[in-house]
Amino acid sequence: MEKMQAVVKTEPGKGASYTDRAVPEVSDFDVLIRVTSASICGSDVHLYNWETWSESRIQLPRIMGHEMAGEVVEVGKRVKSVKVGDYVSAETHLYCGRCYACLHGRMEVCLNLKILGFDRDGAFAEYISLPESVVWKNDPTIPKEWASVQEPLGNAVDTVLVQDVTAKTILITGCGPVGLLAVGVAKASGASTIFATDINDARLELALKMGATDILNPNKTDVVETIMDFTHGAGVEMLIEMSGNPNALADGLRALTPGGCASLLGLFKEKQVPIDLNRHVVLKGIRMFGITGRKIFSTWYKTTQLLSSGQLNLDPVITHRFALSDFEKGMELMAEGSCGKIVLFPPD
Amino acid sequence: MEKMQAVVKTEPGKGASYTDRAVPEVSDFDVLIRVTSASICGSDVHLYNWETWSESRIQLPRIMGHEMAGEVVEVGKRVKSVKVGDYVSAETHLYCGRCYACLHGRMEVCLNLKILGFDRDGAFAEYISLPESVVWKNDPTIPKEWASVQEPLGNAVDTVLVQDVTAKTILITGCGPVGLLAVGVAKASGASTIFATDINDARLELALKMGATDILNPNKTDVVETIMDFTHGAGVEMLIEMSGNPNALADGLRALTPGGCASLLGLFKEKQVPIDLNRHVVLKGIRMFGITGRKIFSTWYKTTQLLSSGQLNLDPVITHRFALSDFEKGMELMAEGSCGKIVLFPPD
Amino acid sequence: MEKMQAVVKTEPGKGASYTDRAVPEVSDFDVLIRVTSASICGSDVHLYNWETWSESRIQLPRIMGHEMAGEVVEVGKRVKSVKVGDYVSAETHLYCGRCYACLHGRMEVCLNLKILGFDRDGAFAEYISLPESVVWKNDPTIPKEWASVQEPLGNAVDTVLVQDVTAKTILITGCGPVGLLAVGVAKASGASTIFATDINDARLELALKMGATDILNPNKTDVVETIMDFTHGAGVEMLIEMSGNPNALADGLRALTPGGCASLLGLFKEKQVPIDLNRHVVLKGIRMFGITGRKIFSTWYKTTQLLSSGQLNLDPVITHRFALSDFEKGMELMAEGSCGKIVLFPPD
Amino acid sequence: MEKMQAVVKTEPGKGASYTDRAVPEVSDFDVLIRVTSASICGSDVHLYNWETWSESRIQLPRIMGHEMAGEVVEVGKRVKSVKVGDYVSAETHLYCGRCYACLHGRMEVCLNLKILGFDRDGAFAEYISLPESVVWKNDPTIPKEWASVQEPLGNAVDTVLVQDVTAKTILITGCGPVGLLAVGVAKASGASTIFATDINDARLELALKMGATDILNPNKTDVVETIMDFTHGAGVEMLIEMSGNPNALADGLRALTPGGCASLLGLFKEKQVPIDLNRHVVLKGIRMFGITGRKIFSTWYKTTQLLSSGQLNLDPVITHRFALSDFEKGMELMAEGSCGKIVLFPPD
């Protein structure tokens, strides 16, 4: 049995090991991929820190990671659409294909959803095995770092494009990696004015690079007042919530125009988030969209087009590059919030 | 100056007076209407009880009431679309027509909204004056009691029809008058299974009459479990929240299928309503719509069709009829919750 | 090799044979079904008559038929969601699952579409083999005749429900079997006024039974004038075109209100259909939807709900029942147009 | 009575006169505007040439023109939202505000529509009087030439944005002035690949300047084949028809992906346009939108944002500038098709 290096959560508690594991076997419907790039998601950090939900959810040991790109090195007997040598990425939502949600084309909220790197061994490794049904063939012109970031980019695409933003004034709360990607998507989609907020000025600077027209630090500026002045009291036409912060959400809803639309991707530490439903949702006639995952695969067509056409440049978002063995540096930077997206590279 | 009888909020504190007032004068753009029926809204009861918001909002004295039907007896010089003798009702949202919301066709959330019976003298009177812009010509086949109830019926129509409910399984939480109307609208619109919940069994009985297929009292039954059993774990496809109760909302969101839609009309006593946004909105990919008022006037076309075609029978919802002078009986019944819709009749 | 009886198109030219064929073998991903009911589609008649397109499209011999219900008698090794004894029907669009359309959830217009009974052996037989991916598990309360008719019913559902019809005034042109189903769907969905047109008075009588509120024979009545009178010059809010007749389409577009919606399912004999695009589409701001097939499988959920809830009664549409061996009687009746839906029953 | 210079259609037949007329009087609801720029629409040329429909539609004499910008010099007593000195443009669809379409927010297809410069004196004059209800206050940063072109730009906005085009591959057939504006709008909205077609190579060059990624002359290239090669057989996701040419429409529909969307603004010389409805609309599941006019006023908000934000540069489209008295040069150039948009300037 061949061996490979991988980042493995071996036991409860903070941390993970860089250790060797067997290269996965390939069933009839699976594809074996040599990972060439993998990026760190906020949820990886939660697992690394072994936050409270981990115990009940995760079966150890588990190879971590799900954002990735790589090259197909072996395909199962029943695999039809992918061949050895293909340059691919992974849709990380492993869907059942037969539940109510799947049969309505909503595979991203499959009733039996499994997630790569949590419920099945993941991508922080030299090799990964994936069911053909979640393999996406990359456009060869897209660099491997960008290809790995397509998965969270897909989240940004779905959050921004729940409605047309062209010629609109919008607010993006939270400029972590996905918030920054959302700024880029909104810019590419023709939003006329993009307010971006964060309490971290370095991230706000990145937001400017991604196309924000106005950056606001809520610790220094009254966000709602600034927006109301700018819009002559009308408010923004769309709120894109990327912070998972209840205050940011509350301010965002306050700044939203009556009849406007709020799109929520950020996850909250609080189990119960207080909302002034009467004033900010019901009486203002607001539509609020919860977004999770990507539409399979219509969203991937969009990420491909945005990247291969040159409409979207991910370089400002990718702030750090490490060897896979240095994954701990990445985890620390992510926990501190002093970074954009971090890409890891397994040994060749 | 001619006199008329009216229900007037004359001073702060609980209560109102049945007293005489001048018949309103008619400006160039106004229409004078002899009120033939008027119904009590929950918000009338809040004003009657002089709840905390009243002091800051309401200028006294104020003639109460906004749900109504009547006959045009005089029209201003500039009025074009209505004539003496027309049988009409009132859209109660007085919109400015020039703000951002109005110019986007969202007059129901006008930035300068005034509400009949709160910001301008209302309909619990023998006569009312209305701007032509909010006068709706009733279909003559609709009885005057039903015509008065069209306004809250419009709320029910907009709440239910935010998306197609035909052949769907839905949950309506709260069977007060508007909840009951929503049951009727959902039935007329082809919903296949309509779960209706309330803690008042008498209201649940009315829900059955309006077309609910299953009634559930959350004090006696586990609503979420019942629905999950019925739907084999998939959940309902739509939640229509009419109770303004945070527990009903939480249960409703729990019972909602991933990718489903929640439509919220009920107003909450709580300024801040706690919501498990992660689990019930974001990760489930839920769309949530705040609904207020009626689309002006597309909703009125729909209420007209539903009533004149015989698709919807409002009789089970209208539980009490009183002379206008007996309005206090109505206010008490509404405060107790032991009624459906109550219609008042001014003297001929 | 076991034998079965089947209706087989054996050679070019009009007609088909009732003859014996081998019971199909079952591959790993297939399901073998004993057919208990099968209904005749207009396209079956075109094939039976060997119309011009047949030569280039159809490879002979071919077992005809695609609308069906039956019982699973054997499943392939890889089949997961269906078991022996299940009561099932067939989605007749065999989609590839990997093309641009399929990966956008539009399997009904798959770029590599194959159709049951045309490109693969069909359902006018004692047994049929189907890929698991197109097998739909029927609700056991739905009678087998109705279950067979679910497939065209799905067409009617998608044609009618391209937009909400509740409380709307609509026009359905053409009362062949699918037109009649559309009348039923529109009625169940809360359309207030349903004009139905056909040149065959017997079919118009069936339309009345299915819920049409007004029936019009264009050979006897001016359809456009009648509708314009009824709607006070506004026109109908939706056109549902089921006739495939250019005059019916032209009249329908004339009768459509500005800003209205036309939904087209009927296929035209004419390769080029003349349309007054300026007046009837562009300057009126019309939306026109081409409909083909069913959404896989969201439409099937709707047909199931409509039938199992009792909202829709298919009995008036099913005018004839024959033994499978008498299929020729059915083909003749269909060609004459003097029938609704015809259901065939294979020998037990 | 004060006099002004104006372009007047005084009698049947080709041509118009540059002559003096009385400055319009201002009713209570009207606004008098000093015209500072006015641009020529294709429909002005049709009227100038006195095409067949003119006789029955136009009452002579008539001041021509409707695309314009100017300064308010007088307001009627009842006018509320505009004041002397305001910089404004005209929505050219004079809607009634009380018909079925208007009461559904579809004023652009008002049942009693009047059009500026056709049914009421127009903008090719030193002064124009407009009802307040169609006056749009311009952003002061938008140059007067661009402000005049906002009206056809609004057509382009509505045609392109019937659905989200971000990250899509689209085809725009016809690169006359509005086609060129559509290219610019599609580019600003994030379309990834924009095929533009015209038989005039000069116009194709302008299309490149406006952001087309690929230009195709159907007299030299097989448009459908080129697109099918580029999209690997899938076709474009959206067709924007701006040519009014039946062949362009047919090719466009052929090049459209199954499930795609066609948006039609171009008007056809042919009263009946032949369409292969079976293959190109019904069986492909196409949605087709007829577009006319602008949404009042949501579209104007979008044109304002696109222009004031710098997202859209109209300079390449504006190919000629003439004194109003030289209008005949403009009419000739437009008739020849050897121009983009032509702006006229009345004397100061």
Side-chain angles (χ1 to χ4, degrees), chain C residues 10 19 80 82 133 137 160 176 179 199 208 219 232 241 266 271 288:
Chain C
T10 52
T19 179
K80 289 180 183 172
V82 184
S133 60
K137 282 204 262 186
V160 172
I199 54 170
L208 272 186
N219 287 344
H232 308 293
E241 209 311 291
K271 199 174 147 42
M288 196 183 274

Coordinates of all heavy atoms in Angstrom, one line a residue, chain C residues 10 19 80 82 133 137 160 176 179 199 208 219 232 241 266 271 288:
Chain C
T10 N -42.3 -2.2 -36.8 CA -41.3 -3.2 -37.4 C -40.8 -2.7 -38.8 O -39.6 -3.0 -39.1 CB -41.9 -4.5 -37.7 OG1 -43.1 -4.4 -38.4 CG2 -42.2 -5.3 -36.4
T19 N -47.0 -8.2 -31.4 CA -46.2 -9.4 -31.7 C -45.4 -9.7 -30.4 O -45.4 -9.0 -29.5 CB -45.3 -9.1 -32.9 OG1 -44.6 -10.3 -33.1 CG2 -44.4 -8.0 -32.7
K80 N -30.2 1.6 -6.3 CA -30.3 1.9 -4.9 C -31.7 2.3 -4.4 O -32.1 2.0 -3.3 CB -29.4 3.0 -4.5 CG -27.9 2.6 -4.5 CD -27.1 3.8 -4.1 CE -25.6 3.4 -4.3 NZ -24.7 4.6 -4.0
V82 N -34.9 2.0 -5.7 CA -36.1 1.3 -6.1 C -35.9 -0.2 -5.8 O -34.8 -0.7 -5.9 CB -36.3 1.4 -7.7 CG1 -37.6 0.8 -8.1 CG2 -36.3 2.9 -8.1
S133 N -32.4 6.2 -13.2 CA -32.4 7.6 -13.1 C -33.7 8.2 -13.6 O -34.0 9.4 -13.4 CB -31.2 8.2 -13.9 OG -31.4 7.8 -15.3
K137 N -41.2 6.8 -8.2 CA -42.1 5.9 -7.3 C -43.4 6.6 -7.1 O -43.5 7.7 -6.6 CB -41.4 5.7 -6.0 CG -40.3 4.7 -6.0 CD -40.0 4.1 -4.7 CE -38.9 4.8 -4.0 NZ -38.5 4.1 -2.8
V160 N -48.7 25.5 -17.4 CA -49.6 26.4 -16.6 C -48.8 27.1 -15.6 O -49.0 28.4 -15.4 CB -50.7 25.6 -16.0 CG1 -51.5 26.5 -15.0 CG2 -51.6 25.0 -17.0
G176 N -57.3 19.3 -26.7 CA -56.9 17.9 -26.8 C -56.5 17.4 -25.4 O -56.7 18.2 -24.4
G179 N -54.4 19.7 -23.4 CA -55.1 21.0 -23.1 C -56.2 20.8 -22.0 O -56.3 21.6 -21.1
I199 N -62.1 23.7 -31.8 CA -63.1 23.6 -32.9 C -64.0 22.4 -32.7 O -64.9 22.2 -33.5 CB -62.4 23.7 -34.3 CG1 -61.4 22.5 -34.4 CG2 -61.8 25.0 -34.5 CD1 -60.8 22.3 -35.8
L208 N -65.3 21.9 -19.9 CA -66.2 22.4 -18.9 C -66.1 21.5 -17.7 O -66.0 21.9 -16.5 CB -67.6 22.4 -19.4 CG -68.1 23.6 -20.1 CD1 -69.6 23.5 -20.4 CD2 -67.9 24.9 -19.3
N219 N -64.7 28.6 -34.6 CA -65.5 28.6 -35.8 C -66.9 29.2 -35.7 O -67.5 29.5 -36.7 CB -65.7 27.1 -36.3 CG -64.4 26.5 -36.8 OD1 -63.4 27.3 -37.2 ND2 -64.3 25.2 -37.0
H232 N -63.0 44.0 -20.4 CA -63.1 45.5 -20.5 C -61.9 46.0 -21.3 O -61.3 47.0 -20.9 CB -63.3 46.2 -19.2 CG -64.4 45.6 -18.4 ND1 -65.7 45.7 -18.7 CD2 -64.4 44.9 -17.2 CE1 -66.5 45.1 -17.8 NE2 -65.7 44.6 -16.9
E241 N -50.9 27.8 -24.8 CA -51.1 27.4 -26.2 C -50.9 25.9 -26.2 O -49.8 25.4 -26.1 CB -50.2 28.1 -27.1 CG -50.7 28.3 -28.5 CD -51.2 27.1 -29.2 OE1 -50.4 26.2 -29.5 OE2 -52.4 27.0 -29.4
G266 N -47.9 23.3 -27.4 CA -48.4 22.7 -28.7 C -47.3 22.7 -29.7 O -46.6 23.7 -29.9
K271 N -43.4 24.3 -40.3 CA -42.0 24.4 -39.9 C -41.8 25.9 -39.5 O -41.1 26.1 -38.5 CB -41.1 24.0 -41.0 CG -39.7 23.7 -40.5 CD -38.8 23.2 -41.6 CE -37.3 23.7 -41.4 NZ -36.9 23.6 -40.0
M288 N -42.7 35.0 -23.5 CA -43.2 33.8 -24.1 C -42.3 32.6 -23.7 O -41.1 32.7 -23.8 CB -43.1 34.0 -25.6 CG -43.9 33.0 -26.4 SD -43.6 33.3 -28.2 CE -44.8 34.5 -28.6

